[in-house]
């Protein structure tokens, strides 16, 4: 694994204590701002301040626990990448539905979270079978939707169309602009270690401006001052209860959270490895499985279900640190925050324009990363449609959901996030469009009339149909044409059969090129001829051609039987 140039600390690089603590505080600033989700749920259920503190503490403990599982990594559990989980509004519809069931109590709502955990564990064992449908371009759709979702939420926060729906004032817009400008300036022009803390410096600048412009409500400030400094949570908060009717909504939620996890882990893998080519499905499976185990723990302590945080991973990448060791620091701070609600409540004081600016900043990195993933593959019309429709469904999910609920009111509690809906659409379309596509295609070419363009057009068509990367297809094109030129120039093809058959194969990991003809075998030389040999012998030219063909492929093999010559070249995809 090669570390990208914009990353100062790679996956396995240890962190100095001061940097680790500072970057973890930066992560906590982002994750803590999303504690508004338990506050929303507590208000909706009419619970008191005591229950709010217990739910927040239990949720933070679960978040700390799952980070340790992920970064520590075991044989079958943990992705060994830094990616935390955060509170998400995507789980609220299912929780509201369960609480509305006859006879359901809060013990049912929180105790049945184990269903989410088991569904994620079960799904993790299916991920390896998704190798041919969860392709790089589908991963790009997931990453891009995460980025677009962050940007959409950021604009809502800045322009005042968030939870309260009040329009933005000039002062709040100024604070949002100042926060965003500070982050960008620190990232682009600062060359010292402070560049790693660009988001945190932006948050501090935004918070200071908010205080000076009186944007922090006095009521929230008084509530924060009334919070205790130390709190020992009473766990489980509500106990446990079983209700079979809660299984279906929680299974759907677990599936949606698993898809979110796969998209978030793709960001973590992509930003950590300069040589990244495709998602490591084994790591994805271990990561989803660890999240499932964490939700079993959440059911035990009555914590809220959590979603993989694409924003936190983007924040780590934007800060230049994807080290696993950041997870230990972040988990430690989350554990302390679970016991120190006065500190945790400070993050709830961040005005909406400040958090919105941070979300916009992170959105730029995530969205472009997803776009790069999609553009790294050759796409034919089928794959363009699978990717394009998935993006449209993902970005238009709020409108789609409103229309569906208007037709079927019972579906108002089944809310797939834009990410889950978009990825599901792309996967389903990609699976449907695979029908009729052969994994091997062959075509005959008359050597006397074959041109480089003929070979290029054929191989590019196959590469687009299968979604291969540009690089291996380009190398296959050049190798195929070198073979055609060598056979023609040195008269190696039987004049009675002046044709060559080119066959291609693809399995998402290897692009295979097989050339068949009748005549004399083209030798695949292990070493090139010397300059003197090239000047003195035409046979040396043939040796050079065979050497170049063999070097262009990862593996090259030549064989001949009864006059039929076969060259098999494989190119790593």
């Amino acid at each position: 694994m090669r570390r990208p140039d914009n990353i100062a600390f790679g996956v396995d690089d240890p962190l100095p204590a001061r940097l680790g603590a500072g970057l973890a505080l930066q992560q906590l600033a982002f994750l803590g701002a999303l504690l508004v989700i338990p506050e929303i749920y507590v208000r909706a259920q009419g619970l008191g301040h005591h229950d709010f503190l217990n739910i927040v503490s239990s949720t933070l403990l679960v978040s700390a626990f799952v980070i340790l599982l992920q970064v520590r990594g075991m044989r079958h559990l943990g992705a060994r990448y830094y990616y935390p989980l955060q509170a998400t509004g995507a789980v609220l519809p299912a929780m509201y539905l369960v609480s509305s069931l006859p006879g359901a109590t809060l013990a049912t709502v929180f105790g049945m979270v184990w269903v989410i955990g088991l569904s994620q564990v079960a799904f993790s064992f299916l991920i390896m079978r998704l190798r041919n449908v969860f392709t790089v371009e589908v991963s790009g759709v997931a990453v891009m939707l995460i980025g677009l979702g962050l940007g959409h939420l950021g604009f809502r926060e800045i322009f005042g169309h968030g939870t309260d729906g009040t329009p933005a004032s000039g002062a709040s817009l100024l604070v949002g602009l100042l926060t965003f400008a500070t982050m960008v300036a620190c990232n682009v022009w600062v060359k010292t270690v402070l560049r790693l803390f660009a988001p945190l410096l932006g948050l501090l600048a935004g918070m200071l401006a908010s205080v000076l412009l009186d944007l922090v409500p006095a009521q929230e400030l008084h509530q924060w001052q009334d919070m205790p400094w130390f709190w020992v949570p009473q766990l489980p908060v509500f106990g446990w209860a079983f209700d079979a009717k809660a299984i279906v909504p929680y299974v759907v939620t677990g599936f949606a959270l698993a898809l979110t996890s796969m998209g978030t882990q793709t960001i973590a893998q992509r930003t950590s490895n300069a040589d990244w080519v495709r998602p490591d499905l084994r790591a994805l499976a271990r990561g989803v499985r660890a999240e499932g185990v964490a939700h079993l723990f959440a059911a035990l302590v009555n914590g809220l279900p959590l979603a993989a945080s694409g924003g936190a991973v983007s924040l780590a990448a934007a800060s230049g640190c994807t080290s696993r060791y950041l997870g230990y620091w972040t988990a430690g701070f989350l554990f302390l925050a679970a016991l120190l609600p006065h500190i945790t409540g400070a993050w709830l004081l961040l005005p909406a324009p400040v958090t919105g600016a941070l979300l916009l900043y992170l959105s730029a990195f995530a969205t472009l990363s997803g776009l790069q993933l999609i553009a790294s593959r050759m796409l034919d019309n089928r794959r363009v449609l699978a990717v394009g429709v998935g993006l449209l469904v993902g970005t238009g999910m709020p409108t789609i959901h409103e229309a569906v609920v208007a037709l079927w009111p019972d579906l108002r509690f089944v809310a797939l996030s834009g990410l889950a809906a978009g990825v599901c659409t792309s996967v389903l379309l990609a699976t449907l469009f695979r029908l009729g596509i052969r994994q091997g295609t062959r075509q005959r070419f008359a050597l006397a009339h074959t041109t480089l363009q003929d070979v290029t057009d054929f191989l590019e068509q196959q590469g687009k149909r299968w979604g291969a990367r540009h690089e291996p297809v380009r190398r296959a094109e050049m190798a195929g044409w070198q073979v055609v030129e060598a056979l023609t120039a040195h008269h190696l093809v039987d004049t009675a059969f002046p044709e060559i058959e080119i066959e291609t194969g693809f399995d998402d990991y290897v692009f295979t090129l097989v050339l068949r003809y009748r005549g004399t075998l083209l030798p695949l030389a292990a070493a090139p001829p010397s300059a003197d040999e090239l000047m003195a012998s035409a046979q040396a030219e043939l040796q050079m051609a065979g050497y170049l063909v063999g070097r262009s492929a990862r593996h090259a093999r030549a064989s001949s039987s009864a006059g039929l010559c076969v060259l098999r070249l494989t190119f790593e995809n």
Side-chain angles (χ1 to χ4, degrees):
M1 182 183 297
R2 187 165 61 89
R3 188 177 66 198
D5 294 336
N6 64 319
I7 299 299
F9 296 92
V11 172
D12 295 314
D13 294 338
L15 284 175
R18 286 181 298 175
L19 282 178
L23 291 171
L25 283 174
Q26 186 169 258
Q27 289 285 320
L28 189 63
F30 176 76
L31 296 171
L34 294 172
L35 289 178
V36 68
I37 301 299
E39 184 181 17
I40 292 173
Y41 183 78
V42 166
R43 277 202 313 267
Q45 297 299 314
L47 302 177
H49 188 65
H50 180 272
D51 290 327
F52 168 74
L53 292 178
N54 278 327
I55 292 175
V56 167
S57 294
S58 62
T59 302
L60 290 174
L61 290 175
V62 173
S63 185
F65 172 67
V66 70
I67 289 178
L68 293 177
L69 282 182
Q70 298 291 11
V71 300
R72 176 67 179 85
M74 291 171 271
R75 183 175 181 183
H76 300 292
L77 198 66
R80 291 184 65 83
Y81 287 94
Y82 173 74
Y83 82 97
L85 269 63
Q86 66 183 32
T88 173
V91 304
L92 295 182
M95 298 182 71
Y96 291 151
L97 173 60
V98 173
S99 62
S100 68
L101 296 174
T105 63
L106 289 175
T108 309
V109 174
F110 286 89
M112 289 290 287
V113 170
W114 60 266
V115 176
I116 295 177
L118 287 184
S119 64
Q120 286 185 293
V121 171
F123 182 80
S124 70
F125 290 101
L126 300 176
I127 289 178
M128 289 303 298
R129 299 181 181 273
L130 299 178
R131 169 174 149 178
N132 291 328
V133 293
F134 197 81
T135 55
V136 171
E137 60 267 24
V138 173
S139 300
V141 170
V143 174
M144 197 167 178
L145 286 175
I146 288 174
L148 292 174
L150 291 173
H152 177 68
L153 182 59
F155 278 121
R156 286 179 55 194
E157 293 295 301
I158 289 178
F159 289 96
H161 298 288
T163 55
D164 55 2
T166 56
S169 64
S172 64
L173 291 176
L174 178 62
V175 167
L177 178 61
L178 175 64
T179 304
F180 185 76
T182 302
M183 295 177 185
V184 172
C186 291
N187 184 278
V188 174
W189 289 294
V190 173
K191 303 301 181 183
T192 65
V193 72
L194 289 177
R195 181 175 179 271
L196 298 175
F197 300 100
L200 183 59
L201 294 174
L203 290 176
L204 292 175
M207 190 64 188
L208 178 61
S210 299
V211 172
L212 294 177
L213 295 175
D214 199 25
L215 293 181
V216 180
Q219 181 181 358
E220 293 185 8
L221 188 60
H222 292 152
Q223 289 178 350
W224 172 70
Q225 292 173 341
D226 292 338
M227 286 184 175
W229 279 99
F230 185 76
W231 178 266
V232 178
Q234 300 172 356
L235 305 177
V237 184
F238 305 106
W240 310 281
F242 177 82
D243 192 331
K245 294 187 290 295
I247 292 178
V248 173
Y250 277 166
V251 166
V252 173
T253 301
F255 174 70
L257 294 181
L259 291 177
T260 303
S261 174
M262 294 176 72
T264 301
Q265 289 189 68
T266 300
I267 299 178
Q269 294 181 13
R270 173 71 176 81
T271 56
S272 300
N273 186 1
D275 299 321
W276 187 91
V277 173
R278 66 181 62 82
D280 180 356
L281 295 186
R282 295 187 186 278
L284 292 184
R286 294 196 304 268
V288 173
R289 200 171 301 136
E291 289 187 32
V293 172
H295 280 115
L296 296 179
F297 176 61
L300 183 66
V301 299
N302 284 179
L304 281 173
L306 301 171
S309 177
V313 174
S314 299
L315 174 60
S319 302
C321 176
T322 58
S323 172
R324 293 188 296 114
Y325 294 93
L326 175 59
Y328 294 108
W329 284 98
T330 305
F333 280 126
L334 287 172
F335 178 78
L336 288 177
L339 305 177
L340 302 172
H342 203 78
I343 295 179
T344 305
W347 305 121
L348 299 177
L349 296 177
L350 283 173
V354 177
T355 56
L358 175 60
L359 292 171
L360 284 182
Y361 177 78
L362 301 179
S363 172
F365 291 91
T367 303
L368 186 60
S369 181
L371 186 60
Q372 289 173 332
L373 290 181
I374 296 172
S376 70
R377 286 303 197 257
M378 303 177 68
L379 306 177
D380 65 351
N381 288 339
R382 301 185 187 208
R383 291 178 178 266
V384 167
L385 284 171
V387 169
V389 175
L391 287 173
L392 289 173
V393 170
T395 53
M397 191 57 193
T399 303
I400 295 173
H401 186 259
E402 289 179 5
V404 171
V405 169
L407 292 174
W408 297 287
D410 290 340
L411 294 179
R412 65 188 182 278
F413 292 114
V414 180
L416 283 179
S417 65
L419 169 62
V423 172
C424 280
T425 301
S426 290
V427 167
L428 291 175
L429 289 178
T431 304
L432 176 64
F433 292 155
R434 284 178 60 83
L435 299 176
I437 295 182
R438 294 177 292 172
Q439 290 302 94
T441 304
R442 62 181 66 184
Q443 183 171 325
R444 289 183 177 274
F445 295 88
L447 287 177
H449 307 290
T450 299
T451 65
L452 172 61
Q453 191 63 44
D454 295 332
V455 176
T456 299
D457 289 345
F458 171 67
L459 293 180
E460 281 194 354
Q461 181 183 11
Q462 303 310 310
K464 290 179 180 179
R465 180 171 297 177
W466 295 324
R469 289 194 303 129
H470 294 272
E471 181 188 355
V473 177
R474 296 287 180 268
R475 285 190 279 117
E477 291 169 2
M478 295 309 300
W481 179 243
Q482 284 177 336
V483 171
V484 171
E485 279 194 318
L487 297 181
T488 304
H490 296 278
H491 309 289
L492 299 182
V493 177
D494 191 336
T495 56
F497 304 95
E499 292 182 334
I500 183 172
E501 181 184 81
I502 300 180
E503 179 183 350
T504 57
F506 186 72
D507 69 351
D508 201 48
Y509 286 82
V510 174
F511 188 92
T512 304
L513 181 65
V514 181
L515 304 104
R516 298 184 181 90
Y517 63 94
R518 290 194 174 274
T520 305
L521 188 65
L522 174 67
L524 298 178
S530 65
D532 293 337
E533 291 174 333
L534 281 174
M535 295 293 293
S537 170
Q539 189 65 26
E541 294 180 11
L542 186 60
Q543 179 185 350
M544 175 61 80
Y547 171 74
L548 292 176
V549 170
R551 282 294 300 261
S552 64
R554 183 184 181 188
H555 296 293
R557 189 179 64 191
S559 62
S560 177
S561 176
L564 178 63
C565 302
V566 179
L567 294 175
R568 180 178 293 273
L569 310 174
T570 60
F571 305 86
E572 186 176 9
N573 189 51

